[in-house]
Amino acid sequence: MQIVIADVLKSDDLALIRDALERVRFIDGKETAGFAARQVKDNRQADGRDRGLDDVRDMVAKRILENDLFRIAARPKKLSPLLFSRYEPGMSYGSHVDDAMMSGLRTDVAFTLFLEEPDSYDGGELVIESPGGEDAIKLPAGAMIAYPATTLHHVAQVTGGRRQVVAGWARSFVRDASQRELLFDLDTARRSIYARDGKSREFDLMSKSVANLLRMWAED
């Protein structure tokens, strides 16, 4: 399941991040890619050793983990260290699948959080590949796409302007993507029932099912 989540970051957050990114050192993105992805990765990334990003990185992680929609879609246990990526004209990232382990963490859910408005740069779509075709995604600043880390995907070439994003991965309490989707659908439905009818018998039964399925599938 892939899901778009709006307004993960507010305008003040975005201004703070953009200002911080102007003052840190950027390195070749190949330094954080696996041996195969390194051949198709052409971008720049904020140096993870630069302490000037510590507070911003913590703030972004906090905003993501506090987002209710992300919590019920991803069931996150922990996030990987966040990457701040920059693409300038001519840069792209060819088709690849993310590493299964990053910083000792199993990667179940990938996400890209957009930092620039889509009309400020040309190209640069995140393209998620599937047997049914390709889904090109380019979201407003502050919005995020979350999707299974098992998928092939690529970033289309930027032909003008500058694309800046936060990329990251979550270790989920629920390893299986189809189980996460079932929990998401049930949880969304029970919340709709509560909004319409309050605490009803139907709400209680659905809450019981969500809780017991989570007990069955969660890896704590």
Side-chain angles (χ1 to χ4, degrees), residues 2 17 19 29 37 45 52-53 56 63 69 73 75 79 81 85 89 98 122 130 147-148 155 173 179 201 206 213 215:
Q2 65 188 55
I17 295 165
D19 180 64
Q45 285 176 184
L53 275 181
V56 167
R63 297 286 190 270
L69 190 54
R75 305 284 168 176
L79 299 185
S85 298
D98 297 325
D122 300 317
S130 75
Y147 57 98
V155 177
F173 281 106
Q179 292 173 347
R201 177 65 173 167
M206 197 164 287
L213 285 173
R215 286 189 184 94

Side-chain angles (χ1 to χ4, degrees), residues 27-196:
I27 59 175
D28 191 332
K30 290 181 172 63
E31 293 190 22
T32 60
F35 75 93
R38 195 175 298 128
Q39 300 176 37
V40 295
K41 187 175 185 179
D42 180 19
N43 69 2
R44 307 285 289 170
Q45 285 176 184
D47 190 342
R49 297 162 294 189
D50 194 321
R51 300 277 70 85
L53 275 181
D54 287 352
D55 290 344
V56 167
R57 186 177 288 106
D58 289 345
M59 181 268 286
V60 175
K62 183 171 183 286
R63 297 286 190 270
I64 292 170
L65 288 172
E66 287 178 345
N67 185 276
D68 193 50
L69 190 54
F70 181 74
R71 286 204 308 271
I72 66 171
R75 305 284 168 176
K77 180 174 184 179
K78 189 176 181 181
L79 299 185
S80 70
L82 301 178
L83 300 178
F84 293 81
S85 298
R86 176 179 289 173
Y87 292 75
E88 294 173 336
M91 293 183 175
S92 63
Y93 194 167
S95 183
H96 65 284
V97 65
D98 297 325
D99 288 343
M101 301 289 295
M102 294 188 189
S103 302
L105 190 75
R106 190 184 73 228
T107 56
D108 298 315
V109 178
F111 54 86
T112 297
L113 178 55
F114 290 77
L115 300 178
E116 306 293 346
E117 294 298 344
D119 60 359
S120 70
Y121 60 99
D122 300 317
E125 295 85 359
L126 170 67
V127 182
I128 298 175
E129 305 168 27
S130 75
E134 297 185 342
D135 189 10
I137 297 140
K138 189 175 182 180
L139 300 177
M144 181 170 79
I145 174 77
Y147 57 98
T150 52
T151 58
L152 283 168
H153 55 282
H154 65 273
V155 177
Q157 185 181 80
V158 171
T159 58
R162 185 172 71 177
R163 177 190 195 260
Q164 293 196 121
V165 300
V166 180
W169 297 265
R171 154 75 151 90
S172 177
F173 281 106
V174 179
R175 181 196 297 254
D176 187 272
S178 62
Q179 292 173 347
R180 290 196 303 271
E181 185 171 355
L182 282 169
L183 286 167
F184 176 81
D185 289 345
L186 284 171
D187 215 345
T188 301
R190 83 182 182 101
R191 290 164 186 247
S192 295
I193 289 171
Y194 186 85
R196 186 187 65 213

